[in-house]
Amino acid sequence: MMGAAGASKDETYVDDVFSATLYEANGSSSARTITNGIDLAGEGGLVWTKGRNLSDRHALVDNERGLRYHLASNETDGQRDRQWFNSFNSNGYTFSTNDTELNYSDKDYVSWTFRKAPGFFDVVTYTGNGSAGRTVAHNLGSAPGMILVKANEIDEAWVVYHRSQGATKMAAINSTTEFQTNSSRWNDTAPTSTVFTVGNDVSTNGNGVAYVAYIFAHDDAQFGTGGNESIIKCGTYNGNNGTQNIDVGFEPQFFMVKNTTSAANWVVVDIMRGAADNDTNQAFLYANTNDIETFPLRAYATSNGIGYRTESSNEINSNGQTYIYMAIRRPNKPPEAGTDVFHAYYGTPGSNHIITTGFPLDMQIAKEASSTNAHRLFTRNLGLNTWKTTSNYTKSLQPAGTDESQIGNLTKSVYNTSFSTASAWANNLMIFQSFKRAPGFMDVVNYVGNGSTQTLNHNLTVVPEMMWVKKWDAAGNRWQIYMAPQGINKYSPGFATDPFYSTSARWGNTTPTSTQFTIGNDSDLNNSGSKYVNFLFGSLPGISKIGTYSGTGSAINVDCGFTAGARFIMIKRTDIETQGSTPGRTDWYVWDYARGIVSGNDPYYQLSRNWAQTTNTDYIDPLNAGFTVNTSGGGINVSGGTYVFFAIA
């Protein structure tokens, strides 16, 4: 599967060196392991933790000073001997404490892990000698973009270098103070790929004083598939009091912003807590305060950078002000198996039940199996991040309808590899189908309509073969569905029983590419000023398949190129709207492994209707290469019918 997905064991991805991890405290002092896939045991690095709904200090722990010692980015204090961390592990870390900084009962936390890696991040310690021009060696392998230095054992401010400000200026991450000219911190000497230079000030080079330096790279293109991607950028931009997009060259999962020309907080945003284009649910923390997580901040991750919509905050986008940023690329490691990108749950979960997906949840379809209540489709890009213990409130879309709605009390929390249920669905028989964004498999893009044909960027990395588009800032518009087998001159008006209709305005008569898609001037998907979300899917060898087949009335083996069969199947007839006198025969039928893709009856639901699932039919059977459509396939195997399908291994 690794070969099929195009990855190489020698390639390093941002997934291997950085993680924004969410967890809920259990209040126990027993050993607790946070698994985030980062090899801290073999490589070393930094773990930076902050309580999201708790007014307490930041906690920074690294392997160079020793795991027992904590620094706080919001304080000038020297390190504290906490002895909380047990170990840095090959896939995360372990701690033992019920202290408020890491594990206070029922509180939410975010942990940012930075692994040492040339071209990304390094940690070094040194002892000052009090002489200007002292050089300190590092292993970054490229000129640093940003450096944070702190005296370990004495009360001194942090000192920050940023490449855009140069070595003649400095700021303190524990303070709101703007960047100021100062020759005694960096000795007016720019860092190189092997050393950085400090002056004779006690904050960076006091005689006999111990220091730690956290060193961040800038635009070192040695990561990802092919080893030619940058995963971290340290840049600058000018505020404009309104809408703008700061192009950093990739979609970020984490960014830190600071006003350099006037006093302002250090703003920290990540996609796990909410860097979505929602205008209301973006969560942010301040690196320089102990404040709880705050809403809203109109800063969000775009397909190529940091976006602002009608934002004039002095902290991030005030007109005439200059800002610096440090941005880290979104996870983009190719999946090795279908289990890396798709998970299904079927059962009665109970309240606060933890359901493990094994991956960050980027999109989910939820359905009460025995009820006629509407399906709900959630995505992190529209505020799925607000599923957390302090707010059971999030935005959802209805696949079988035109509505966009705000609903609460559905899911309690979403973490990196799991979610938990709340009271509304706790005692119902539930279907949860969870999806992860991944190269070649799925991407999610938000955009604003302009009333004219427009071309937009995406990060699917392959040509999309299926797109689901929906207006999300108001009700009344149907989904607009593109399927490559139907071509750019066809669309389906929502997850409905309609066939695919001819169109000249939906897709701008332009076939999507591996980096862009085009939206025409139809108001259903490009009304001026309206907000839309586009879910893009591709065929990834061994992982997913979008295709077509012709009905025969006899059993059909659909070869998807899989090795262990399909775990998710969606089928839709494309050539007619109804079949004889039987209604519902051109619905979007959906099966999954949790409810059973077996040789007997296979429960399915119709994405196009709010009906309860059907459990007494045997329309499909398992097949190692994909799936089999039975002779008794009803609406999915009529002789002469044309069908499209989406399958996941």
Side-chain angles (χ1 to χ4, degrees):
M1 291 295 187
M2 176 79 85
S8 166
K9 291 183 179 179
D10 296 327
E11 292 167 332
T12 301
Y13 292 83
V14 66
D15 312 53
D16 301 315
V17 298
F18 177 81
S19 172
T21 302
L22 308 183
Y23 65 91
E24 184 179 6
N26 59 19
S28 171
S29 59
S30 300
R32 179 171 185 182
T33 296
I34 302 299
T35 301
N36 58 22
I38 308 298
D39 182 6
L40 292 170
E43 304 295 339
L46 162 70
V47 175
W48 181 341
T49 304
K50 176 67 178 78
R52 300 170 61 190
N53 49 355
L54 187 68
S55 295
D56 205 351
R57 64 203 299 269
H58 295 247
L60 282 72
V61 177
D62 63 78
N63 66 299
E64 294 296 329
R65 290 180 299 116
L67 303 188
R68 66 188 293 170
Y69 299 110
H70 289 215
L71 285 168
S73 64
N74 58 298
E75 294 179 353
T76 60
D77 295 4
Q79 63 189 11
R80 301 184 185 185
D81 187 349
R82 294 301 201 192
Q83 303 186 50
W84 290 339
F85 272 66
N86 300 34
S87 61
F88 274 7
N89 307 325
S90 62
N91 61 352
Y93 58 91
T94 300
F95 61 79
S96 297
T97 182
N98 58 1
D99 190 272
T100 57
E101 291 176 33
L102 294 179
N103 198 27
Y104 192 68
S105 182
D106 294 328
K107 296 299 183 181
D108 284 339
Y109 290 81
V110 59
S111 166
W112 303 299
T113 299
F114 303 81
R115 198 203 85 184
K116 289 184 181 179
F120 176 63
F121 176 72
D122 195 17
V123 183
V124 299
T125 55
Y126 65 96
T127 301
N129 63 11
S131 299
R134 161 77 189 279
T135 59
V136 180
H138 66 80
N139 297 305
L140 202 59
S142 58
M146 188 165 77
I147 305 172
L148 310 181
V149 170
K150 178 70 178 74
N152 295 346
E153 298 168 350
I154 63 174
D155 184 1
E156 277 293 329
W158 291 75
V159 183
V160 181
Y161 162 86
H162 193 279
R163 57 179 290 275
S164 71
Q165 301 300 295
T168 64
K169 289 189 174 182
M170 54 78 62
I173 200 169
N174 56 276
S175 169
T176 62
T177 304
E178 66 271 20
F179 273 74
Q180 299 178 343
T181 300
N182 188 296
S183 297
S184 63
R185 266 57 168 192
W186 309 114
N187 203 53
D188 295 346
T189 306
T192 72
S193 61
T194 57
V195 301
F196 66 92
T197 303
V198 290
N200 58 3
D201 189 270
V202 68
S203 60
T204 56
N205 192 24
N207 188 32
V209 178
Y211 299 88
V212 64
Y214 300 129
I215 309 167
F216 303 87
H218 166 70
D219 202 18
D220 193 335
Q222 59 173 291
F223 299 89
T225 302
N228 59 1
E229 291 180 349
S230 297
I231 62 172
I232 184 169
K233 293 277 187 75
C234 297
T236 185
Y237 65 92
N238 295 318
N240 70 357
N241 260 18
T243 299
Q244 69 165 314
N245 183 74
I246 293 92
D247 187 352
V248 307
F250 51 72
E251 181 178 341
Q253 64 170 310
F254 171 99
F255 50 91
M256 179 186 296
V257 174
K258 174 70 173 77
N259 189 327
T260 69
T261 48
S262 65
N265 291 304
W266 292 78
V267 177
V268 184
V269 181
D270 64 72
I271 63 173
M272 292 305 299
R273 294 179 302 116
D277 182 8
N278 190 340
D279 273 7
T280 57
N281 287 328
Q282 292 91 333
F284 63 96
L285 288 163
Y286 294 134
N288 56 293
T289 77
N290 67 354
D291 293 352
I292 65 171
E293 185 175 90
T294 305
F295 299 83
L297 180 78
R298 292 189 176 97
Y300 55 93
T302 71
S303 59
N304 66 338
I306 303 168
Y308 297 133
R309 179 159 297 126
T310 60
E311 180 58 57
S312 59
S313 165
N314 184 56
E315 293 174 345
I316 59 174
N317 197 32
S318 181
N319 191 43
Q321 302 291 293
T322 301
Y323 298 84
I324 61 164
Y325 67 83
M326 187 260 281
I328 298 174
R329 182 186 286 268
R330 177 195 126 202
N332 67 344
K333 195 171 190 176
E336 299 179 16
T339 51
D340 293 337
V341 293
F342 176 73
H343 176 271
Y345 170 87
Y346 181 54
T348 304
S351 185
N352 301 330
H353 177 67
I354 299 293
I355 298 172
T356 299
T357 59
F359 53 77
L361 176 55
D362 290 314
M363 189 265 276
Q364 184 181 81
I365 299 171
K367 172 65 179 156
E368 295 171 72
S370 303
S371 169
T372 58
N373 289 337
H375 308 70
R376 297 295 184 179
L377 188 149
F378 304 93
T379 174
R380 191 181 304 281
N381 280 46
L382 299 186
L384 180 149
N385 55 283
T386 60
W387 287 358
K388 64 190 191 73
T389 57
T390 56
S391 177
N392 301 326
Y393 196 77
T394 191
K395 186 180 291 292
S396 72
L397 302 171
Q398 296 182 17
T402 61
D403 289 345
E404 170 276 319
S405 60
Q406 294 277 0
I407 54 176
N409 202 33
L410 296 179
T411 300
K412 182 180 179 183
S413 305
V414 170
Y415 305 110
N416 287 63
T417 59
S418 64
F419 64 96
S420 66
T421 55
S423 58
W425 284 342
N427 299 313
N428 296 328
L429 180 61
M430 293 300 304
I431 303 164
F432 292 112
Q433 295 165 332
S434 303
F435 301 76
K436 177 189 175 183
R437 300 169 75 188
F441 172 69
M442 185 185 84
D443 193 23
V444 186
V445 176
N446 288 11
Y447 67 92
V448 178
N450 65 3
S452 301
T453 298
Q454 60 172 320
T455 298
L456 300 145
N457 296 324
H458 67 80
N459 290 311
L460 187 61
T461 73
V462 299
V463 177
E465 296 180 48
M466 179 170 67
M467 296 188 294
W468 306 347
V469 180
K470 180 71 175 69
K471 181 180 179 181
W472 62 263
D473 62 344
N477 282 53
R478 302 179 74 176
W479 291 80
Q480 305 294 300
I481 312 299
Y482 166 87
M483 299 286 290
Q486 298 301 108
I488 59 171
N489 294 317
K490 291 286 187 73
Y491 79 103
S492 176
F495 295 103
T497 59
D498 301 59
F500 277 76
Y501 295 123
S502 296
T503 179
S504 60
R506 277 2 184 240
W507 317 116
N509 293 317
T510 303
T511 302
T513 71
S514 60
T515 59
Q516 295 181 318
F517 64 94
T518 299
I519 297 298
N521 60 4
D522 190 277
S523 62
D524 281 333
L525 72 180
N526 197 13
N527 185 60
S528 181
S530 294
K531 298 171 186 177
Y532 298 85
V533 60
N534 185 5
F535 300 88
L536 304 92
F537 300 85
S539 291
L540 183 59
I543 306 291
S544 61
K545 178 67 176 178
I546 296 164
T548 185
Y549 66 87
S550 298
T552 64
S554 301
I556 305 169
N557 290 334
V558 181
D559 189 343
C560 301
F562 301 159
T563 58
R567 299 183 311 124
F568 173 90
I569 302 166
M570 183 172 71
I571 298 175
K572 159 73 173 170
R573 185 169 183 177
T574 64
D575 57 325
I576 62 172
E577 181 174 356
T578 58
Q579 178 184 307
S581 60
T582 306
R585 292 300 181 90
T586 60
D587 283 298
W588 296 79
Y589 294 81
V590 179
W591 294 262
D592 64 65
Y593 70 94
R595 291 175 295 148
I597 298 175
V598 296
S599 57
N601 289 343
D602 315 282
Y604 69 84
Y605 70 79
Q606 291 135 300
L607 200 59
S608 38
R609 301 177 188 269
N610 295 334
W611 295 348
Q613 70 172 350
T614 300
T615 61
N616 61 350
T617 60
D618 184 19
Y619 285 176
I620 60 171
D621 276 339
L623 178 72
N624 282 345
F627 60 95
T628 296
V629 180
N630 283 337
T631 304
S632 59
I636 63 171
N637 192 15
V638 175
S639 181
T642 302
Y643 300 87
V644 290
F645 69 87
F646 172 41
I648 304 173

